[in-house]
């Protein structure tokens, strides 16, 4: 929190610095809806990824007839591993050879899944993210002079209050 306070404090020094800090603030406000949509799409692709590439023995029944992966911790670790794999895929740190399945006939579906995921997430969603940040930057640059003068005025006013409190 000290670092955020430092960012708020240093914007009184220069108008461009105030504009950049205003851009950060505006971008974080504008991105919140994008993040919700991105997380829903990531959950959707995680579900498809798990359905396509689940190992055949992971849901198999043991000799008593009970499923081996119905209970909690192992299944949640498996889901988190898949979310992490898709996150890495989104960032470009992914080996497409790991999409190879042990089930025959799934490899072509996995390749189609990889292509659709790449187009939707890497091309469409990340370009939308860039557009949102670009709009935030444009908005902050239009408001830069006003934000700079207001922060300077508030900075002087708060120093005046501090001087009056000391006396």
């Amino acid at each position: 929190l000290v670092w955020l306070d430092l960012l708020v404090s240093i914007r009184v020094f220069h108008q461009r610095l105030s504009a950049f800090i205003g851009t950060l603030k505006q971008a974080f406000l504008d991105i919140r809806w994008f993040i919700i949509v991105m997380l829903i799409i990531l959950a959707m692709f995680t579900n498809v990824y798990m359905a396509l590439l689940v190992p055949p023995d992971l849901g198999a029944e043991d000799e008593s007839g009970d499923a081996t992966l119905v209970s909690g911790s192992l299944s949640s670790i498996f889901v988190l591993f898949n979310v992490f794999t898709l996150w890495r895929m989104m960032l470009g740190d992914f080996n497409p050879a790991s999409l190879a399945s042990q089930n025959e006939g799934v490899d072509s579906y996995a390749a189609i899944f990889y292509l659709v995921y790449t187009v939707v997430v890497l091309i469409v969603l990340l370009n939308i993210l860039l557009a949102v940040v670009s709009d935030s930057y444009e908005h902050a640059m239009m408001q830069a002079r006003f934000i700079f003068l207001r922060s300077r005025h508030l900075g002087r006013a708060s120093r005046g209050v501090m001087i009056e409190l000391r006396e």
Side-chain angles (χ1 to χ4, degrees):
L1 292 175
V2 172
W3 295 107
L4 292 176
D5 191 38
L6 177 66
L7 278 177
V8 170
S9 300
I10 65 172
R11 68 180 180 184
V12 299
F13 294 125
H14 195 271
Q15 184 174 346
R16 294 290 278 190
L17 184 60
S18 178
F20 290 135
I21 294 170
T23 300
L24 283 174
K25 179 184 172 188
Q26 189 65 39
F28 281 117
L29 291 174
D30 292 343
I31 284 175
R32 65 179 178 240
W33 299 114
F34 172 80
I35 289 175
I36 291 171
V37 170
M38 188 186 76
L39 289 175
I40 290 171
I41 290 175
L42 186 65
M44 176 186 70
F45 277 105
T46 300
N47 193 6
V48 172
Y49 183 78
M50 288 177 58
L52 278 177
L53 300 173
V54 64
D57 59 343
L58 199 56
E61 296 180 353
D62 59 8
E63 57 274 353
S64 67
D66 295 331
T68 57
L69 182 71
V70 181
S71 65
S73 65
L74 186 58
S75 63
S76 57
I77 289 171
F78 185 68
V79 170
L80 289 176
F81 174 76
N82 287 322
V83 169
F84 181 69
T85 301
L86 288 174
W87 185 262
R88 285 183 45 214
M89 193 185 300
M90 179 177 60
L91 297 176
D93 181 25
F94 183 70
N95 182 8
S98 67
L99 284 174
S101 174
Q102 296 172 355
N103 299 335
E104 291 185 25
V106 174
D107 291 339
S108 59
Y109 291 119
I112 292 170
F113 165 78
Y114 180 71
L115 289 174
V116 170
Y117 181 79
T118 302
V119 168
V120 169
V121 172
L122 289 181
I123 296 174
V124 175
L125 282 181
L126 292 182
N127 278 320
I128 290 172
L129 176 64
L130 286 174
V132 168
V133 172
S134 177
D135 286 346
S136 299
Y137 177 76
E138 183 180 333
H139 177 74
M141 292 308 282
M142 288 178 7
Q143 300 289 327
R145 179 122 176 104
F146 172 73
I147 293 170
F148 174 67
L149 293 175
R150 185 183 67 182
S151 61
R152 271 221 159 155
H153 177 69
L154 291 175
R156 286 184 186 144
S158 66
R159 281 193 300 267
V161 170
M162 290 174 62
I163 291 171
E164 289 177 12
L165 290 176
R166 287 184 189 164
E167 295 174 352

